[in-house]
Amino acid sequence: MKITAIVLAAGSGSRMKSDIPKQYLQLNNYPVMYHSLKTFNESFVDEIILVVPQNDIEYCNKEIVQKYGLKKVTNIVAGGSERYYSVYNAITSIDIEEEHYIFVHDAARPLLTNETLEKCKQSVIEYGTAVAGVPVKDTIKIVDSDKNVISTPDRSTLWQVQTPQCFNAKLLKNSYEKMIQDLQKGNITDDAQVVEKYSNAKVKMIESEYTNIKITTPEDIKIAEKSI
């Protein structure tokens, strides 16, 4: 059995209102991206594929991977213009084996825990899929373009989706290949959506922690500092 982690750190982080991409911002004296890489590096995963902007590959190899001794990072690949292209670039760099699982994680989620990883591992081995998330606490409203409420979905059926999102490697690769060829793919926002749309597999939700936040705004850095 082989497990590969794809860690995505190719975004620009425009909502951070910073000249520095969010994955390089300091969080407790380390770059944001270091924290999840460290968690994977010390876990059961066999290899890590790091995805960064093309121009940052050399920098990340020297100042992140080598500097912090992240020995499980076996390859650094260039990201694409959209998240799904970044994931696809990473997938195509992997030699898919017979019993192989891929964990896709956003580097902007630095508070990933070993407990969540273990839950994902158990589920992906048993079901072929495992997506981290938490039940929604708040009431959700669906609104129109004028911000008028259209409906209120049943909160008990709603989950806030996180990463890692984990899949049988062949299932994920086949789904992504179909998606890339689809000229009418529409707005694809996560890996689960790709598998949902381009395969017959059922996507299994795994309850993670509410602390597994994504660093998106300056306030998130302050929240993460208190939790790490």
Side-chain angles (χ1 to χ4, degrees):
M1 183 180 71
K2 185 175 183 179
I3 297 179
T4 300
I6 296 174
V7 178
L8 303 172
S12 60
S14 58
R15 284 177 287 181
M16 281 300 299
K17 301 177 183 178
S18 171
D19 293 334
I20 302 173
K22 62 184 177 183
Q23 59 267 35
Y24 304 127
L25 292 175
Q26 292 291 298
L27 176 60
N28 283 19
N29 300 316
Y30 293 96
V32 165
M33 64 189 294
Y34 161 78
H35 295 280
S36 56
L37 284 169
K38 178 177 181 289
T39 299
F40 279 114
N41 194 69
E42 296 176 351
S43 76
F44 51 75
V45 304
D46 299 294
E47 64 177 0
I48 302 168
I49 309 298
L50 177 59
V51 186
V52 302
Q54 175 73 58
N55 293 336
D56 292 357
I57 291 178
E58 185 177 345
Y59 169 83
C60 287
N61 184 44
K62 181 179 179 181
E63 297 298 329
I64 304 293
V65 176
Q66 294 183 23
K67 180 177 181 179
Y68 297 114
L70 301 171
K71 298 184 181 301
K72 288 188 179 181
V73 178
T74 58
N75 196 6
I76 304 177
V77 302
S81 58
E82 300 288 346
R83 183 187 189 277
Y84 53 77
Y85 284 128
S86 294
V87 177
Y88 183 68
N89 289 350
I91 291 173
T92 55
S93 75
I94 300 169
D95 292 326
I96 304 297
E97 299 183 9
E98 189 59 35
E99 190 178 357
H100 198 157
Y101 304 97
I102 294 176
F103 287 41
V104 184
H105 186 67
D106 295 326
R109 292 187 187 273
L111 304 180
L112 175 65
T113 65
N114 291 321
E115 289 78 11
T116 291
L117 283 181
E118 288 291 344
K119 289 181 182 179
C120 287
K121 179 183 177 182
Q122 293 173 15
S123 176
V124 77
I125 291 173
E126 183 173 357
Y127 302 106
T129 64
V131 174
V134 288
V136 168
K137 293 181 178 181
D138 300 319
T139 297
I140 303 296
K141 300 289 185 181
I142 297 176
V143 301
D144 61 20
S145 59
D146 293 322
K147 298 183 181 178
N148 295 314
V149 174
I150 299 174
S151 64
T152 305
D154 181 359
R155 186 172 60 188
S156 66
T157 67
L158 301 177
W159 281 59
Q160 181 179 331
V161 179
Q162 305 173 345
T163 63
Q165 300 192 4
C166 317
F167 305 91
N168 173 281
K170 290 183 180 178
L171 168 64
L172 188 63
K173 183 178 181 181
N174 291 340
S175 298
Y176 260 92
E177 287 176 344
K178 292 178 182 178
M179 183 271 293
I180 292 296
Q181 295 170 8
D182 183 5
L183 299 179
Q184 305 296 324
K185 64 176 68 67
N187 185 30
I188 302 291
T189 58
D190 72 348
D191 314 290
Q193 189 176 358
V194 176
V195 173
E196 291 162 23
K197 188 172 182 178
Y198 297 99
S199 82
N200 295 320
K202 292 184 178 180
V203 175
K204 192 77 171 178
M205 291 298 303
I206 301 302
E207 188 162 355
S208 176
E209 293 94 4
Y210 288 95
T211 54
N212 187 24
I213 63 170
K214 187 175 183 180
I215 302 297
T216 304
T217 64
E219 292 77 17
D220 295 328
I221 288 284
K222 297 177 182 179
I223 294 171
E225 285 176 341
K226 297 177 181 179
S227 301
I228 204 162

